[in-house]
Amino acid sequence: MQINNKLQKYIEKNIFPEYSKNEPAHNIDHIKYVINRSFKFADTVPNINYSMVYTIAAYHDIGHHIDSKRHEIISGEIMSKDENLKKFFSEEELKIIKEAIEDHRASSDHEPRSIYGKIVSTADRNNTVEACLKRSYTYGKKLEPNLTDDELFERAYKALNMKFGENGYAKFFFKDEEYENFLKEIRTLLADKKKFIDTQKTYINKLKNSSNNIIK
């Protein structure tokens, strides 16, 4: 795996700090998770450009704090306006990077236009129930801060059913045992609404009581 060292330093110094503007579900920890997962899937693809994979994952949620509902488009625009990236990529490579960022969203109405889009889209999915339930709560709280916890649990249940239920819209383009196990677990939980809410409540109470509480 080879990533341009100057590119990596530029992104770590100038792009990573931007994620402090996002809510907890899309912060720098999430970005690093997606980068690592992206590399895992990239390893299965011949002749892949790891610098492109890294850049797509690093920029894919950078515009989330501006407009969560259009963040994939905004993130692509932010990347495409970054003149520094022209030092590292050709125009065609930058076009592929922009399209991959635009295509990463699970609820997109079309499949990613390149293997790079499929990599980051797949890497962007949760692979543990605990992480999924925490993210759905913190994201819901950011969007609708006036909701009570009970209302946020109800919101999360509906949203995750739509995303990960038997006919859910979340797509996965690489075979991955971790994700397949997660999908079985989350679907089992979704089949019992009370158990789902009780489980999420337990995780959120633990998160609120932790020393590094990120829920405001």
Side-chain angles (χ1 to χ4, degrees), residues 6-18:
K6 289 183 179 180
L7 169 69
Q8 186 171 1
K9 287 181 177 179
Y10 169 73
I11 287 176
E12 288 178 351
K13 181 180 179 180
N14 299 279
I15 303 306
F16 282 3
E18 290 295 303

Side-chain angles (χ1 to χ4, degrees), residues 10-152:
Y10 169 73
I11 287 176
E12 288 178 351
K13 181 180 179 180
N14 299 279
I15 303 306
F16 282 3
E18 290 295 303
Y19 282 95
S20 64
K21 299 174 183 178
N22 283 359
E23 40 78 29
H26 298 86
N27 64 11
I28 191 59
D29 291 335
H30 171 66
I31 298 309
K32 290 178 178 179
Y33 163 84
V34 173
I35 288 171
N36 290 331
R37 294 276 287 167
S38 292
F39 288 155
K40 175 180 179 177
F41 301 125
D43 284 343
T44 68
V45 181
N47 304 315
I48 200 74
N49 183 322
Y50 283 96
S51 289
M52 288 175 66
V53 172
Y54 178 75
T55 302
I56 294 162
Y59 282 80
H60 84 278
D61 276 345
I62 196 170
H64 205 282
H65 67 280
I66 298 172
D67 185 349
S68 61
K69 294 181 180 178
R70 296 185 63 253
H71 77 274
E72 71 279 14
I73 304 302
I74 295 170
S75 297
E77 290 173 352
I78 291 171
M79 184 286 304
S80 66
K81 291 176 182 177
D82 190 338
E83 293 293 319
N84 289 287
L85 294 181
K86 292 181 179 179
K87 301 174 186 176
F88 306 105
F89 301 108
S90 67
E91 286 188 16
E92 179 59 27
E93 288 171 334
L94 288 170
K95 179 175 180 289
I96 292 170
I97 291 170
K98 183 173 185 285
E99 289 177 348
I101 292 170
E102 293 172 342
D103 294 344
H104 83 268
R105 194 167 183 173
S107 57
S108 176
D109 61 0
H110 62 275
E111 278 198 9
R113 286 165 280 184
S114 71
I115 191 63
Y116 292 93
K118 290 180 178 180
I119 287 171
V120 75
S121 179
T122 302
D124 195 36
R125 309 291 166 257
N126 291 115
N127 68 349
T128 71
V129 168
E130 181 172 359
C132 180
L133 298 190
K134 287 179 178 178
R135 286 193 78 213
S136 62
Y137 174 91
T138 56
Y139 181 48
K141 191 170 182 63
K142 175 66 175 180
L143 288 182
E144 302 184 74
N146 295 323
L147 293 185
T148 65
D149 272 3
D150 285 342
E151 289 170 330
L152 287 167

